[in-house]
Amino acid sequence: MQPAFSVIFLTTLIGAAQGLFLALYATEISGLGGLSALDSQQFLSSATLVALLLTALGLLASFFHLGHPERAWRSAVMWRTSWLSREVIALPLFMLGLFLYGGAHWSGLGNTRWIGAVTVLLCLGLFVATAMIYASVRFLQEWASPLTLVNYLLLGCASGLTLATLLAAGLGMTTLVTPYAFAAAALTLLAWVTRSAALLRNARLKPKSSLQSAIGIKHPRIVQMAQGFMGGSFNTREFFHGRTAQVLRSVKWTFLLLVFPLPLLCLILGANTASTALLFLAFALQYIGLLAERWFFFAQANHPQNLYYQTIS
Amino acid sequence: MTQLALVIDLNVCVGCHACVTSCKQWNTSGTAGSLVDLNPYGKDPNGTFFNRVQTFEVGEYPNTQTVHFPKSCLHCEDPPCVPVCPTGASYKRAQDGIVLVDYDKCIGCKYCTWACPYGAREFDEDRKVMTKCTLCVDRVTDTKLPETERKPACVLACPANARLFGDVHDPESVVSKAIAERGGYQLMPEWGTRPANHYLPRRKTEIRIHPEDLERVDNPLKLDRKLPEYAPRDLGREDFAT
């Protein structure tokens, strides 16, 4: 598939925001770090604001994916059948939850546990909806796997916790840095395993469709002589990344390096030396790595329609 | 329930692309149009065509067959492009099974193209909406046209009559009979999309000679039941009576 940058930014930004929120809510209900009421109130409200900003940026990016952004409101209609529609509903609701949660903390109105609990449900629902947009397209076999959902969840949580570690260090919540860094490292390791599992699965994937089933002729040797046109078309633009296998491979190794081992190293060093700069580096590297990961996620998916467009003439 | 569809005879298609050009002409001037062409006279032209004729070579030299293969939307009975649409712009008409896009509702997210294994949908970069084969819905339902012309443009244009059009749910229709009698099949059956359009396979052309074709069994001149003796005769004076 041709990677769409609007969607790459949308999924990585909201993933980090969701992971960050889950970390914040877990901090509140577990009383992690033993923060004073004032510290807790300040930290949770400002960090929730960061999560809200990330989701807003993601929402903004998503509009660039649409041919008619002014009709975007229509996309909430088909929630009974379409995961995309469900995401369109879940994202603003999650943002509303973040707003109320952060606002309740900031203004000291209370009831944050209840608001947070509902927002957690919305957050998890959003994870499922976002991942199922891809996992539910059975024709893209690289995506049609439970691993897609697991990876969206774990990569979002890992980047969110790396960001939480950075925010805790940056906002002076020193008691939170070590537990956050530990959780971020654990989630990053876990995501490393599941993302590698997805890569291994996709490497040994057997395409369900063949040229034989595509044109319905049962002969072992079929060669396309002409695709029917010599210029381009939507079919040649949208479904192929247009890069060499070499580029694809290097993007894969880049993200495998940037998302997992390098942030892990920065997290360990940053937490040990209490260096905000290193923790910033951890999040920056991991986020850039996730952009590459999402690009590769799209580029690697091979659409069966490509069987019909092998030879120009 | 009616399910209008095309049945394409691969044994007859000669790959002339008349269906491609007539489709483009009709749909670029009709309610589905205009079909956008990007940079049509430039170095890297891009075009929208709801119908394409592709060419495949099957087999190994010298035993090869050139198969011309027209491809357009298959109007699946279980269209995977419809439920994924977030706005409901992509829909299947209940009355005749045609899969259509409501251009006024489409937000141009292209999600439906991911969900079509056949690559039947093409995004219109001018109008920013998804477009696809309409099975010439504006033509087949137009009661002002004479009955014989209420067919898709590609069907009317085909000089070899390789394209049949009709209701595949009516067992008495021409298309249903063609599918039943000549082994009509669907594309990519492994996905369970149940395309309404069918393809008729290539046939081996055989010459069948019966004994009666060579020797008349009830020849009244052959009284002795012996085989006739063929007298050498000049060209043009052969005795066909024996």
Side-chain angles (χ1 to χ4, degrees):
Chain A
M1 300 293 289
Q2 176 74 266
F5 274 98
S6 46
V7 178
I8 292 174
F9 279 108
L10 165 72
T11 54
T12 50
L13 285 167
I14 63 172
Q18 287 164 272
L20 175 59
F21 168 73
L22 291 180
L24 298 177
Y25 186 65
T27 310
E28 184 187 355
I29 55 168
S30 66
L32 193 76
L35 300 180
S36 68
L38 187 69
D39 273 355
S40 167
Q41 183 191 359
Q42 275 185 346
F43 175 66
L44 291 178
S45 57
S46 46
T48 306
L49 182 66
V50 173
L52 189 58
L53 284 176
L54 290 180
T55 53
L57 281 176
L59 186 64
L60 181 71
S62 75
F63 276 95
F64 287 94
H65 187 67
L66 303 182
H68 280 280
E70 79 281 2
R71 297 179 189 165
W73 60 271
R74 286 188 181 274
S75 58
V77 176
M78 297 301 282
W79 55 272
R80 285 183 194 82
T81 60
S82 172
W83 281 107
L84 179 52
S85 192
R86 289 170 199 162
E87 189 199 33
V88 163
I89 295 168
L91 179 56
L93 285 180
F94 173 59
M95 291 174 73
L96 180 69
L98 282 180
F99 176 76
L100 293 177
Y101 181 72
H105 270 297
W106 179 73
S107 59
L109 281 178
N111 291 324
T112 53
R113 288 188 175 219
W114 293 111
I115 299 170
V118 174
T119 313
V120 165
L121 289 180
L122 292 170
C123 175
L124 294 176
L126 181 57
F127 266 128
V128 173
T130 307
M132 283 308 288
I133 288 176
Y134 307 95
S136 68
V137 182
R138 61 186 192 273
F139 313 109
L140 291 155
Q141 288 170 265
E142 287 83 353
W143 296 353
S145 148
L147 280 172
T148 302
L149 175 55
V150 172
N151 283 325
Y152 268 79
L153 180 68
L154 288 180
L155 288 169
C157 287
S159 61
L161 265 140
T162 311
L163 179 59
T165 318
L166 167 65
L167 289 175
L171 296 171
M173 304 294 145
T174 44
T175 52
L176 284 175
V177 173
T178 311
Y180 274 179
F182 187 76
L187 281 162
T188 303
L189 275 172
L190 207 57
W192 199 352
V193 173
T194 57
R195 190 64 179 94
S196 303
L199 287 176
L200 287 176
R201 172 191 177 268
N202 291 348
R204 55 173 63 185
L205 214 54
K206 195 177 168 290
K208 228 174 162 180
S209 289
S210 62
L211 207 44
Q212 279 74 16
S213 72
I215 66 171
I217 294 174
K218 309 278 178 285
H219 193 286
R221 190 185 174 278
I222 303 176
V223 182
Q224 185 170 45
M225 307 307 282
Q227 65 182 12
F229 52 100
M230 300 186 74
S233 77
F234 182 74
N235 303 85
T236 60
R237 292 196 305 269
E238 175 76 5
F239 299 94
F240 184 59
H241 48 80
R243 305 294 197 289
T244 58
Q246 177 78 48
V247 173
L248 219 61
R249 259 197 309 279
S250 43
V251 171
K252 181 176 80 181
W253 288 110
T254 307
F255 93 69
L256 280 176
L257 207 62
L258 286 179
V259 179
F260 308 110
L262 291 182
L264 274 174
L265 201 68
C266 293
L267 276 169
I268 294 165
L269 289 177
N272 278 335
T273 59
S275 156
T276 311
L278 271 173
L279 292 175
F280 175 77
L281 195 62
F283 178 68
L285 287 178
Q286 195 166 45
Y287 185 72
I288 293 166
L290 280 175
L291 294 179
E293 187 272 334
R294 234 21 71 87
W295 188 93
F296 183 81
F297 175 79
F298 274 95
Q300 196 196 24
N302 190 22
H303 200 284
Q305 80 104 36
N306 289 342
L307 288 168
Y308 294 107
Y309 302 91
Q310 303 282 325
T311 315
I312 290 173
S313 70
Chain B
M1 278 261 286
T2 309
Q3 172 65 63
L4 296 179
L6 296 170
V7 172
I8 296 164
D9 190 346
L10 295 184
N11 197 51
V12 171
C13 177
V14 292
C16 70
H17 290 248
C19 54
V20 179
T21 50
S22 66
C23 166
K24 176 82 170 181
Q25 189 278 331
W26 177 263
N27 283 303
T28 211
S29 359
T31 53
S34 58
L35 305 190
V36 66
D37 290 323
L38 302 172
N39 202 18
Y41 305 106
K43 198 175 157 203
D44 182 23
N46 262 250
T48 307
F49 289 80
F50 294 162
N51 181 33
R52 301 278 192 187
V53 178
Q54 307 190 316
T55 304
F56 295 88
E57 189 178 83
V58 180
E60 209 143 353
Y61 180 83
N63 298 316
T64 54
Q65 289 262 327
T66 302
V67 177
H68 300 293
F69 175 82
K71 177 171 94 72
S72 55
C73 172
L74 305 171
H75 298 280
C76 297
E77 302 211 28
D78 191 2
C81 53
V82 169
V84 299
C85 176
T87 66
S90 189
Y91 66 104
K92 187 174 176 70
R93 270 160 64 108
Q95 65 266 47
D96 50 21
I98 301 178
V99 178
L100 291 174
V101 178
D102 185 338
Y103 301 144
D104 294 330
K105 281 187 186 167
C106 177
I107 57 170
C109 69
K110 305 180 193 168
Y111 191 34
C112 53
T113 67
W114 299 1
C116 170
Y118 309 101
R121 298 170 157 251
E122 295 185 54
F123 188 69
D124 187 318
E125 290 288 352
D126 261 3
R127 285 181 293 169
K128 301 285 180 196
V129 291
M130 196 53 68
T131 58
K132 66 180 289 299
C133 160
T134 65
L135 211 62
C136 288
V137 65
D138 50 345
R139 187 166 183 137
V140 300
T141 56
D142 188 351
T143 47
K144 277 180 283 189
L145 286 173
E147 187 93 39
T148 50
E149 283 179 33
R150 283 179 223 161
K151 286 177 178 175
C154 56
V155 174
L156 292 170
C158 182
N161 204 18
R163 303 175 76 93
L164 309 173
F165 170 70
D167 177 11
V168 287
H169 282 184
D170 172 11
E172 292 306 309
S173 70
V174 177
V175 282
S176 295
K177 282 182 176 163
I179 293 166
E181 287 168 10
R182 295 185 42 201
Y185 64 87
Q186 298 164 319
L187 303 183
M188 292 188 186
E190 63 272 20
W191 296 116
T193 55
R194 297 193 295 134
N197 283 12
H198 283 67
Y199 286 78
L200 303 179
R202 281 291 178 90
R203 283 180 291 182
K204 272 192 178 160
T205 310
E206 290 171 338
I207 302 174
R208 269 186 291 177
I209 302 173
H210 299 284
E212 306 91 90
D213 295 339
L214 299 174
E215 194 187 325
R216 192 172 158 186
V217 286
D218 57 344
N219 188 345
L221 297 176
K222 217 172 85 177
L223 297 171
D224 54 1
R225 294 181 179 270
K226 281 181 186 169
L227 282 172
E229 288 173 25
Y230 291 98
R233 289 181 194 271
D234 294 340
L235 202 67
R237 298 200 57 205
E238 297 90 343
D239 181 6
F240 290 108
T242 57

